[in-house]
């Protein structure tokens, strides 16, 4: 089930996207959204007899975390190597504020303080209920579904500050979308699922979740051993190798097999 959050120009609404995706993760011309009676994280899946053409709505970030986005650094060995860094002994966590979240089609705004902003395509885990100290074998019980993220990073500020807070936290630095896929379980794929990023149509990242240093159950267990997770919290699972700079006017697409494609353009802050 693909759960989306959208607007007709007024208040956000929730719905379920119907129809198949093409090989590029894009819905077909017949794609429709069936309305839901509120946020399914809180009221469950209650279908309405209201339907909307996908072309008639504007998709929003499928979840707006009430609390936090917890990101994992250096969770792909090849990415750690390209950053001249060792693979950590345990998951490396940092926080992105919920004010950094934007949706599909929204601009990534280039901040005045940076001259080197990078894309980082990632698989994102959406938490479905309040949880703490979750054993790895029970991780799927607290996962609502999966979506796509771009962990945008001001790389020059990351190097300057050493820690990650400023470089990862600017408004618009966490695009999420285009929807939440509730029926996907990456752990069931022996070869993982593809995580690919395109910059202006050129493939720049081509990884697989099979290459994660710490798998998703381990990440959920580790994060929840430190902090209580709330419904709608998001865990970013790390990025494959191939990160690089984006410039004003560029278009970035992050595609994940079984979910779809998240597309955003880069704009100058006014």
């Amino acid at each position: 089930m693909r759960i989306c959050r959208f607007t007709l120009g007024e208040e956000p609404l929730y719905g379920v996207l119907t129809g198949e995706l093409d090989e590029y993760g894009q819905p077909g011309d017949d794609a429709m959204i069936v309305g839901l009676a509120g946020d399914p994280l809180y009221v469950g899946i209650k279908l309405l007899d209201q339907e909307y053409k996908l072309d008639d709505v504007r998709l929003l970030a499928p979840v707006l975390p009430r609390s936090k986005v917890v990101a994992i650094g250096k969770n792909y060995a090849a990415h750690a190597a390209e950053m001249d860094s060792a693979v950590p002994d345990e998951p490396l966590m940092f926080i992105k504020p919920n004010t950094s979240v934007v949706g599909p089609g929204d601009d990534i705004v280039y901040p005045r303080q940076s001259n080197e902003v990078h894309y980082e395509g990632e698989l994102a885990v959406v938490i479905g209920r309040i949880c703490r100290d979750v054993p790895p074998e029970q991780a799927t019980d607290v996962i609502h579904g999966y979506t796509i993220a771009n962990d945008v990073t001001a790389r020059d500020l990351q190097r300057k500050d050493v820690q990650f807070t400023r470089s990862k936290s600017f408004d618009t630095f966490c695009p999420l979308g285009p929807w939440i896929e509730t029926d996907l379980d990456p752990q069931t794929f022996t070869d993982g699922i593809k995580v690919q990023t395109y910059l202006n149509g050129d493939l720049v990242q081509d990884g697989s979740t099979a290459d994660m240093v710490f798998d998703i159950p381990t990440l959920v267990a580790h994060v929840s051993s430190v902090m209580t997770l709330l419904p709608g919290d998001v865990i970013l699972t790390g990025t494959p190798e191939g990160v690089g700079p984006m410039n004003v006017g560029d278009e970035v697409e992050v595609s994940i097999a079984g979910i779809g494609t998240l597309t955003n353009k880069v704009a100058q802050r006014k």
Side-chain angles (χ1 to χ4, degrees), residues 6 13 15 20 72 83 86 95 101 106 109 113 115 139 156 160 169 179 191 200 210 212 225 245:
F6 64 98
L13 301 170
E20 298 297 321
I72 306 298
M83 301 300 291
I95 299 288
V101 172
D106 290 336
V109 179
Q113 297 94 324
N115 294 305
D156 50 352
K160 179 180 179 181
S169 297
W179 38 72
D191 297 326
N200 299 321
M212 288 181 179
S225 74

Side-chain angles (χ1 to χ4, degrees), residues 41-92:
L41 278 169
Y42 295 92
V43 302
I45 303 294
K46 298 181 180 179
L47 295 173
L48 303 174
D49 55 358
Q50 298 171 343
E51 292 189 347
Y52 310 87
K53 291 183 178 179
L54 184 58
D55 290 341
D56 293 339
V57 309
R58 181 168 73 89
L59 290 177
L60 306 173
V63 61
L64 189 60
R66 273 68 169 178
S67 174
K68 55 194 171 289
V69 176
V70 184
I72 306 298
K74 304 174 186 176
N75 198 31
Y76 288 77
H79 171 58
E82 73 179 348
M83 301 300 291
D84 294 322
S85 179
V87 173
D89 294 330
E90 57 183 358
L92 174 63

Side-chain angles (χ1 to χ4, degrees), residues 132-156:
R132 177 73 193 274
D133 290 327
V134 180
E137 60 272 17
Q138 295 178 17
T140 55
D141 296 342
V142 305
I143 294 174
H144 178 56
Y146 297 88
T147 190
I148 303 171
N150 188 347
D151 177 20
V152 180
T153 305
R155 195 70 70 197
D156 50 352

Side-chain angles (χ1 to χ4, degrees), residues 229-246:
L229 294 171
L230 304 180
D233 280 355
V234 175
I235 300 176
L236 308 188
T237 60
T239 194
E241 68 175 321
V243 301
M246 306 180 291

Side-chain angles (χ1 to χ4, degrees), residues 8 15 18 20-21 30 41 87 120 147 172 179 203 207 215 227 236-237 247 261:
L8 299 171
T18 64
E20 298 297 321
L21 303 181
D30 59 344
L41 278 169
V87 173
E120 293 189 11
T147 190
T172 76
W179 38 72
L203 180 64
D215 63 16
M227 62 190 76
L236 308 188
T237 60
N247 296 303
T261 300

